[in-house]
Amino acid sequence: MAEPEFTATGVRIGRRLRSLTRAGQIRITDGRFELLTSYGREIDSAPVQTVRAGKPWFAADDRALAELNGTRYRLTLADHEPAPGKAGPPTVRRFIDAVRRAGGRRARG
């Protein structure tokens, strides 16, 4: 298995008003986007080219949206980068840039 292009741990993942996990994982590996529980069980996955990721204009700085297979997920990442060498969720901007890079789309600033 190849090294992940992007990994985030400690991510709160929700769908509509329901929380699916409070310490989930996001992983982009080999052109595949995966949402996982804290135990590594798959919530949803899709080819990264089909994933839409963005930041809602009305949400807090640590919130992002991802749409996979027609389902929208609310993601709560960190509002600041984790300390070097420490695990934890990256910022929303880094997450969105990673999705766009992996999907072959140019990141907008």
Side-chain angles (χ1 to χ4, degrees):
M1 188 154 110
E3 187 69 26
E5 298 167 31
F6 178 83
T7 303
T9 58
V11 178
R12 174 173 252 156
I13 302 171
R15 185 172 43 212
R16 296 195 181 218
L17 297 176
R18 182 176 171 216
S19 177
L20 301 175
T21 182
R22 293 189 316 206
Q25 301 173 38
I26 300 171
R27 190 168 43 203
I28 299 174
T29 308
D30 294 332
R32 191 123 187 107
F33 182 96
E34 300 174 313
L35 294 176
L36 307 168
T37 66
S38 56
Y39 298 110
R41 190 176 63 88
E42 185 176 292
I43 295 171
D44 203 350
S45 69
V48 75
Q49 293 87 355
T50 64
V51 174
R52 289 183 8 177
K55 179 174 176 2
W57 64 271
F58 55 85
D61 289 340
D62 62 347
R63 305 282 167 90
L65 292 175
E67 187 173 325
L68 287 78
N69 304 319
T71 305
R72 292 182 101 176
Y73 293 94
R74 287 179 297 109
L75 309 172
T76 304
L77 294 111
D79 54 359
H80 62 282
E81 290 290 328
K86 300 286 184 185
T91 60
V92 170
R93 175 163 304 285
R94 207 171 117 216
F95 162 70
I96 293 170
D97 288 346
V99 171
R100 289 182 177 150
R101 254 191 334 272
R105 295 183 297 273
R106 205 176 120 235
R108 287 182 273 158

